[in-house]
Amino acid sequence: MQNPYSGMPPAPMAQGGPSPSYPPEGAQAFTGQSAPPPGVSGFVPSPPETKNMQAHKRRGGMSPFQVLLLLALLALIAWYLFQSFAPSAQRYGTVQAGMLGAYYTGDALIVRNETPYDADGVTSITYVAKEGSNIARGTHICDVYSSGYSTRETTTLQGYRDQIRDYQADLLEQETTYDAKLERVETDVLSRAKEVRQIIAGTRGNLINQEMLLDAAITARQQYLRQKYSADQRLQRLYDDEQAQLQRIDSWTKQFVATRDGLISFYCDGYEYGLNTSNVATFSPQEVRQMLQGQLPSGTQISKSKTTIYRTVTDGQWYVLMLVDDNSWNPVEQQVYELQIERQENTVVSAVVDKVIRSGGELLVRLLVNAPVSPVLYIRTCKVQIGDSVTTLMVPARALYTQDGMQGVVVVDGDNQLFVPVSVVYRQGNDVYVTSIYQGMLYHGQSVLLF
């Protein structure tokens, strides 16, 4: 086999010695490959590394910069998802009434300054005054129909009114000329009736006011028809029959008017006859317990022929007869306590201990309240809670905010915000009991910012 390097010039030889072989005899050239086959001598250089081979070596792992960049990207994605889908924290809180210190619970009777009114032989009642409203002396309250009155009289009256309606319809059908005013009053009646039906069907609105508007529209229409056909003798006779029947009914009707100022209510429970502010001091703990169990006080029995029609309640002062659960408590007479009534969590009133009575293992505390009676107008028996603590307000802990070194809350009123300094009385979990440094600037029901 021919040597591929045979054409190359011979290497210079060192003087004084034989020419060394290249590579040395018995040695193998380092080529990164297997040794050359026998019979092939000489050095075979390894081929240079390509760019693809160098890139392949660099891809063996990520640099620290790449790792940090990847972590930052993942953190950015997590933050975006949290901001987009996580529920946002509540921004506003509410100022609530709070009570600190020792407090006691018990069953109680509400005693109002009220007077019931009744009548004999009542057949029916037509109420005029509005339930729960304030009335003045002389206000028309209701009309009571006595036993001489019967439903037959009402039926007769309705018969006359049906004849009037039918005859008016006949007269209107005979009209041949356009009457603009008649068209206007009839359209008004139809519009008001439609609005009443819509409210009954669920549309928002005040049904009582709408019924008053409908009644006024019907009255205006009747007045115009009476004027339009005033010369019709048959229609006038029907009007006379209607009026005579009304007078007949009025002879069995008694009109009740208010004899004093106060609140009017047509709901009575029977306690009004034997339990009021005039005799509140006469009851023992045992009698109060019996009334709490449903037994009416003595003197409340009225004749079966009588019917309670309404009651009037004087506003501004009422009593609470409280049987305290913990009879070891020693309330102080004439001391002012904070009173909270069951189902009236948002109503806290100041009550003065008028009398303390211990008897038969019961502790009866008679409390005098000088406050509007409307919150307890329909309450007779209830659970109450009384505390011998200071009056405070309760806000969420997140509502506290420090401004100019002073702690307070930020009250929100529409678009306006007001910083109100407070004194922290007590902290309990996520709630803080506070009092306003400036009287009257913080009260129950206000909205405050949460931070």
Side-chain angles (χ1 to χ4, degrees):
M1 182 175 181
Q2 187 178 359
N3 190 337
Y5 298 97
S6 59
M8 296 181 64
M13 297 178 58
Q15 296 182 1
S19 173
S21 61
Y22 184 82
E25 186 177 353
Q28 182 178 343
F30 178 78
T31 61
Q33 301 178 356
S34 59
V40 179
S41 61
F43 174 75
V44 181
S46 60
E49 291 184 344
T50 65
K51 292 183 179 181
N52 289 336
M53 294 174 64
Q54 295 173 359
H56 177 73
K57 289 183 178 182
R58 288 195 299 269
R59 285 197 298 266
M62 296 179 63
S63 67
F65 176 75
Q66 291 174 319
V67 173
L68 292 176
L69 184 62
L70 179 60
L71 292 176
L73 180 61
L74 293 176
L76 181 62
I77 294 174
W79 176 84
Y80 174 77
L81 294 176
F82 178 80
Q83 292 292 327
S84 300
F85 300 103
S88 57
Q90 190 175 359
R91 296 187 57 195
Y92 302 99
T94 304
V95 179
Q96 298 179 350
M99 183 180 294
L100 282 177
Y103 60 90
Y104 303 89
T105 59
D107 299 315
L109 278 174
I110 304 298
V111 184
R112 297 172 288 263
N113 184 5
E114 56 191 348
T115 304
Y117 294 85
D118 51 49
D120 285 315
V122 176
T123 302
S124 62
I125 305 172
T126 300
Y127 298 106
V128 178
K130 185 179 179 181
E131 168 66 28
S133 62
N134 281 290
I135 57 172
R137 183 183 178 89
T139 301
H140 184 192
I141 296 176
C142 62
D143 295 323
V144 177
Y145 300 93
S146 64
S147 57
Y149 169 81
S150 68
T151 56
R152 183 179 64 252
E153 305 299 337
T154 304
T155 303
T156 302
L157 176 63
Q158 187 60 45
Y160 289 137
R161 289 177 172 174
D162 291 341
Q163 293 180 49
I164 293 173
R165 178 198 61 199
D166 295 339
Y167 187 61
Q168 285 177 343
D170 293 340
L171 292 175
L172 292 174
E173 288 181 357
Q174 299 172 12
E175 288 290 335
T176 57
T177 59
Y178 176 73
D179 189 335
K181 186 174 182 180
L182 177 63
E183 180 72 18
R184 185 170 62 256
V185 295
E186 288 188 339
T187 301
D188 194 19
V189 171
L190 294 175
S191 299
R192 299 302 183 188
K194 182 179 179 181
E195 291 169 356
V196 170
R197 289 197 299 268
Q198 290 174 343
I199 294 176
I200 295 174
T203 303
R204 296 186 62 180
N206 191 315
L207 183 59
I208 296 177
N209 290 342
Q210 203 59 50
E211 286 179 341
M212 293 174 60
L213 293 174
L214 175 59
D215 183 65
I218 293 174
T219 301
R221 180 180 181 275
Q222 287 299 321
Q223 290 176 348
Y224 178 72
L225 291 177
R226 182 187 289 267
Q227 176 186 355
K228 180 179 178 67
Y229 299 110
S230 58
D232 191 291
Q233 296 183 0
R234 179 182 174 185
L235 184 60
Q236 293 304 316
R237 284 196 302 270
L238 290 175
Y239 283 140
D240 293 341
D241 291 340
E242 178 193 27
Q243 187 62 33
Q245 187 63 22
L246 284 172
Q247 292 176 354
R248 181 180 177 85
I249 292 175
D250 287 342
S251 65
W252 293 306
T253 303
K254 181 179 180 180
Q255 185 180 93
F256 281 78
V257 297
T259 58
R260 60 175 182 172
D261 298 346
L263 296 174
I264 182 69
S265 176
F266 304 108
Y267 297 96
C268 304
D269 58 9
Y271 284 80
E272 298 89 0
Y273 291 92
L275 181 64
N276 48 59
T277 55
S278 62
N279 65 354
V280 66
T282 64
F283 297 102
S284 66
Q286 289 71 31
E287 290 174 318
V288 173
R289 178 63 68 185
Q290 292 173 354
M291 286 186 282
L292 286 170
Q293 294 172 351
Q295 180 176 329
L296 295 177
S298 59
T300 58
Q301 290 75 20
I302 62 174
S303 173
K304 293 183 179 180
S305 63
K306 291 183 177 294
T307 301
T308 303
I309 303 170
Y310 64 91
R311 59 188 169 107
T312 57
V313 184
T314 302
D315 198 10
Q317 188 178 88
W318 41 284
Y319 285 86
V320 177
L321 297 177
M322 177 183 179
L323 290 177
V324 185
D325 295 334
D326 184 4
N327 56 17
S328 64
W329 180 39
N330 293 307
V332 180
E333 292 188 5
Q334 302 307 314
Q335 178 69 35
V336 179
Y337 294 89
E338 299 297 327
L339 180 70
Q340 182 172 316
I341 301 174
E342 179 188 37
R343 299 187 302 275
Q344 299 285 337
E345 290 81 1
N346 296 333
T347 302
V348 179
V349 296
S350 296
V352 179
V353 175
D354 185 58
K355 187 67 175 178
V356 178
I357 304 174
R358 295 183 185 272
S359 175
E362 297 272 18
L363 172 59
L364 173 63
V365 180
R366 187 168 69 238
L367 300 163
L368 172 62
V369 180
N370 289 292
V373 74
S374 53
V376 294
L377 185 61
Y378 306 107
I379 299 177
R380 180 65 68 184
T381 63
C382 58
K383 295 284 291 186
V384 297
Q385 176 178 289
I386 189 170
D388 56 355
S389 61
V390 296
T391 301
T392 64
L393 296 171
M394 186 174 65
V395 298
R398 290 175 50 204
L400 293 180
Y401 179 75
T402 302
Q403 177 176 298
D404 297 333
M406 184 175 293
Q407 200 169 39
V409 296
V410 179
V411 176
V412 180
D413 183 11
D415 296 332
N416 301 320
Q417 297 182 1
L418 175 65
F419 177 78
V420 179
V422 298
S423 296
V424 177
V425 180
Y426 179 71
R427 292 177 181 264
Q428 183 179 25
N430 294 325
D431 297 322
V432 180
Y433 293 85
V434 300
T435 56
S436 176
I437 293 179
Y438 301 108
Q439 188 70 22
M441 294 191 66
L442 194 66
Y443 50 86
H444 167 76
Q446 287 178 307
S447 295
V448 291
L449 278 179
L450 299 182
F451 300 92

